[in-house]
Structure formats: C-alpha cells, structure tokens
Amino acid sequence: MERKRSLRRRQKPPFAERAKDHCRNFTAFMFSNVGIIFLVVLYMIAGAVMFIAIEGNEALERFAQIPFKRNETVMRLWQISCCEVNVFNKSVFEEKVGDEIRAYQEKIVLWTRRGWSGGETENESPWSFSGAFLYSLTVITTIGYGNIVPRTEWGKIATIFYTIIGMPLFLLYLSNIGDILAKSFKWIYAKFCLCRVCPGVARRRAMRARRRARTEERDCSVDIGDNGFETNTVTTSNVDEDIEEEITAETNTVTVPITICIMIMIGYIFFGASLFADWENWDLLDGSYFCFISLSSIGFGDIVPGLSLRTNKSETKMEISFILCAVYLLLGMALIAMCFNLMQEQVIYKIRSLKKCVRGCFQCAKPVPVPTDESESQ
C-alpha cells in the first residue's frame, strides 16, 4: 500500500510543468474570442493609468503658471501707464502697450498648443481618467483626434511603444469579434429570412414534395412474400425533416445582401448621432459627421467630444461622455468589421456565380459536331 501511494505521489507533475500549463491555458483564454475583449479593455485601462502618471503632473505644473503670467502682464501694463511712459505721448504709449500685449498673445498661443483650453480652470489637467482612456483608444485605433496629445519626452516615447503593441492587438480584436458577429448575424438572418412563412421556402417545400411523389412512383416495387401474396413497398421520407435539414444547411452557407449591411452601418451612425446630439448639444449633421469620421478612423479632430461639456463646467457629464464615446467606438468598429466581412462574402459569391454563368454561356456557344456520311453508313 505504501508503494502504491508513493507511485501515485510520483505521478503528480512538478510545479514548473503545472505552472506552464496554467500559463498556457490563461494565454489561450486571453487570446480567445471572449478574452480578447477583456485584454483590449485592460490594455486601454493600463494605458490610461500610465499616461496620467507621465503627463498629469506636468500639465498641472504648466497650467499653474498661467494666472501668474496673466497678473504679471496686467502689472506691467499698469507700470507703463503710470510711471514709465507719459500717457499724453500717444505714439510711445501705444508702442509700449502693444509690445506687452503681443508678448502675452505669444504666450497664449504657446499655452494653447500645449493643451490649454482657454477656460478659467487652468489648474485642471486634461489627463483625467476618461480623457486618458479615450486617448488610449484613439491611439490604438489610429483615429487620433489631436485634442489631447503628450507634451513630455517620456509621454511621446510611451505613446510610440504603446501603439506598437496596441495596434496589432486591436486588429486581432476586430478580426475575432467581427467574425463572431458575422456568424451570429448570418444565423439570425437565415432563421428569420429562411423560415417556413417565407415564399421561397414554401416554394421549395412544394417542389420537394412533388419530387418525392415522383420518386415514390418510381421506387414502387412488387415483392413476393413468404405467404405467396404480392406486397407493394413504397420508400417514403418525411418532407418536413428534409426541409429543416435544407434550412440548417443554408444557414451556414447563406450570404447577407450588401444593402442590409449598408443599412446596418447607416443605422448605427444615426444612432450615435442622436446620442451625441443629446450629450454634446450638436445637431444631427455634426453628430453623423463625427460618428462617420471616427468609425472610419479618419479622425480630423475638428469635432471632438467633451468640448461643450467642458465649457459648461460639468465634469461628471464629461467623464461619462468620454467613457460612452469609447464604448461606442469599440462596438462600432467591430460592427463595421462584421459588415465588411459579410459584404466580402457576398461579393465573392456574386463573382463565383458570374464565373459559372460565363462558363455555361461558353459551353452553350460551342459548335455541335455534325456527323459525316461515313459515320451514318456505319
């Protein structure tokens, strides 16, 4: 008994092999169809935390100097008007004041290029969690609005390496999720459009019933039994089961029309346009324009989410708007990938049908050989 127990204990794999198996299973799960979604979301959350740590404090320190520079300019103008220049000398006064105002304008332009929104809350960093999360999404999706950009050297280096890893990961997400959505939509489309109520299926059922009736007449045979009497045996089959098998087979090979795919994309764009029109106080044209530019990964940056909410001093609404915008873009790009996949299958199916039609036309156009007199005599 002790030997058997020792053998059982020896059969247990070592810790290193078990750790390798667990790591292998965890990696396979993370890169599966379900795990890739969590992996992309976790990668964007990690990117948001990283960019906040790199760019957040630097932005606060940079914007904290703006009120002091403004007060310094005001005091300089006061000194010019009171002490340095004779106010009755118009040309000299305008020259001195103009120089100070131009210097302050150059500082404003520089601050704006570095990310200052021009509002009264200069001490608020644009690198909030929602803003950094949206920035991480726009980086790996190649949208790149440009309203939030890194200013430090480490931020720029981190963006480069973050994009190198994130872009292939997001392409894998689009490939897997787009394939899953395409298969699911094909199944739903086949179940609804190839149902028994549809005229096409009813027509096929009638044709198959007639065909079965003809085969029954052909397959009727006369058998002589052991008792000496003739018995008629008819091979029959259930027509409804055959129709269900046919529908199941067509569910896997069905192709969705291109018009339906285009309608899905247009509907999703108008759905997002109505949402952003409510959140951002845009009209439907601006919302549709923003959704199309974002989902197509063009991302001009002329219309970005959160600007109207920032001016209205609603930080909670701005945070929710950024998060919902990121979710809308993630789902929308997967939906666009699904539509492109379905449209590609439809185009391939049409090309193959065209090839078969062309081959049939060429075969019908071949001349039929005319028998000669020698063949007729034979």
Side-chain angles (χ1 to χ4, degrees):
M1 295 294 292
E2 293 180 357
R3 291 181 180 178
K4 290 182 179 180
R5 290 178 181 177
S6 62
L7 290 175
R8 290 178 180 176
R9 291 177 182 176
R10 291 177 184 176
Q11 290 177 356
K12 187 177 181 179
F15 178 76
E17 293 183 0
R18 286 181 293 168
K20 289 181 181 179
D21 293 336
H22 289 301
C23 292
R24 192 180 298 109
N25 295 330
F26 179 76
T27 305
F29 171 75
M30 291 303 295
F31 284 93
S32 63
N33 295 328
V34 178
I36 193 66
I37 301 176
F38 297 99
L39 188 60
V40 170
V41 174
L42 290 176
Y43 188 76
M44 289 190 297
I45 293 174
V49 174
M50 179 183 65
F51 287 116
I52 289 173
I54 296 175
E55 295 286 338
N57 295 328
E58 194 274 338
L60 289 176
E61 293 176 359
R62 182 174 64 249
F63 294 155
Q65 300 176 0
I66 296 177
F68 297 101
K69 295 295 182 181
R70 179 186 297 170
N71 294 331
E72 182 181 352
T73 303
V74 172
M75 292 301 297
R76 181 61 181 165
L77 292 174
W78 174 255
Q79 290 177 0
I80 291 173
S81 62
C82 291
C83 305
E84 295 183 2
V85 180
N86 186 4
V87 294
F88 296 102
N89 192 347
K90 183 178 179 181
S91 60
V92 178
F93 179 77
E94 290 180 352
E95 183 180 358
K96 290 290 184 179
V97 173
D99 293 338
E100 292 296 330
I101 292 177
R102 279 192 295 269
Y104 183 68
Q105 288 176 350
E106 292 177 358
K107 293 178 183 178
I108 290 178
V109 171
L110 180 61
W111 296 333
T112 304
R113 289 178 179 176
R114 291 181 177 179
W116 182 49
S117 61
E120 297 180 357
T121 56
E122 292 89 354
N123 57 347
E124 294 179 359
S125 174
W127 292 95
S128 61
F129 178 78
S130 58
F133 186 81
L134 183 62
Y135 172 77
S136 302
L137 176 64
T138 56
V139 165
I140 64 176
T141 56
T142 69
I143 296 175
Y145 291 130
N147 58 332
I148 303 176
V149 293
R151 303 298 179 182
T152 62
E153 295 180 355
W154 286 109
K156 296 176 182 179
I157 295 173
T159 300
I160 293 173
F161 287 99
Y162 184 80
T163 307
I164 291 174
I165 301 174
M167 285 181 61
L169 182 64
F170 187 76
L171 292 176
L172 182 62
Y173 161 81
L174 288 182
S175 178
N176 291 353
I177 304 304
D179 190 17
I180 292 174
L181 291 177
K183 291 180 179 179
S184 302
F185 187 79
K186 285 172 61 177
W187 183 83
I188 295 173
Y189 175 77
K191 288 297 182 181
F192 278 94
C193 295
L194 298 179
C195 59
R196 293 188 177 184
V197 184
C198 297
V201 177
R203 192 182 306 111
R204 286 195 301 270
R205 185 181 294 108
M207 293 175 61
R208 291 179 67 87
R210 295 175 184 175
R211 195 180 306 156
R212 292 299 178 185
R214 293 175 183 175
T215 53
E216 288 175 1
E217 293 178 357
R218 295 175 183 174
D219 294 337
C220 286
S221 59
V222 179
D223 296 336
I224 300 176
D226 296 335
N227 53 3
F229 294 99
E230 295 180 355
T231 59
N232 293 332
T233 61
V234 182
T235 60
T236 60
S237 62
N238 194 351
V239 180
D240 293 334
E241 293 179 358
D242 295 336
I243 294 297
E244 292 295 335
E245 292 178 359
E246 183 180 355
I247 293 174
T248 304
E250 291 184 2
T251 302
N252 299 324
T253 59
V254 69
T255 57
V256 181
I258 297 177
T259 54
I260 295 180
C261 298
I262 295 175
M263 290 173 61
I264 291 173
M265 292 188 290
I266 293 175
Y268 191 78
I269 289 174
F270 276 104
F271 171 73
S274 61
L275 291 180
F276 286 107
D278 187 19
W279 296 338
E280 302 287 341
N281 296 324
W282 296 342
D283 54 6
L284 290 178
L285 179 59
D286 290 338
S288 302
Y289 170 78
F290 168 77
C291 294
F292 176 79
I293 294 299
S294 300
L295 294 177
S296 59
S297 70
I298 297 175
F300 289 128
D302 52 348
I303 299 178
V304 292
L307 291 180
S308 61
L309 296 177
R310 186 181 289 115
T311 56
N312 293 331
K313 301 180 181 180
S314 179
E315 291 296 328
T316 304
K317 290 183 178 180
M318 188 171 63
E319 295 283 334
I320 296 174
S321 176
F322 282 159
I323 297 297
L324 293 179
C325 180
V327 173
Y328 176 81
L329 293 178
L330 277 176
L331 296 178
M333 288 191 168
L335 190 68
I336 296 297
M338 178 201 76
C339 293
F340 283 163
N341 192 356
L342 296 175
M343 292 167 68
Q344 181 182 2
E345 292 182 358
Q346 179 70 9
V347 170
I348 293 174
Y349 175 76
K350 292 295 183 182
I351 292 175
R352 289 178 179 176
S353 300
L354 182 61
K355 285 183 179 180
K356 292 180 180 180
C357 182
V358 172
R359 287 179 182 176
C361 293
F362 278 112
Q363 289 179 358
C364 294
K366 288 183 179 180
V368 179
V370 179
T372 59
D373 296 336
E374 295 179 357
S375 61
E376 290 178 357
S377 62
Q378 290 179 358

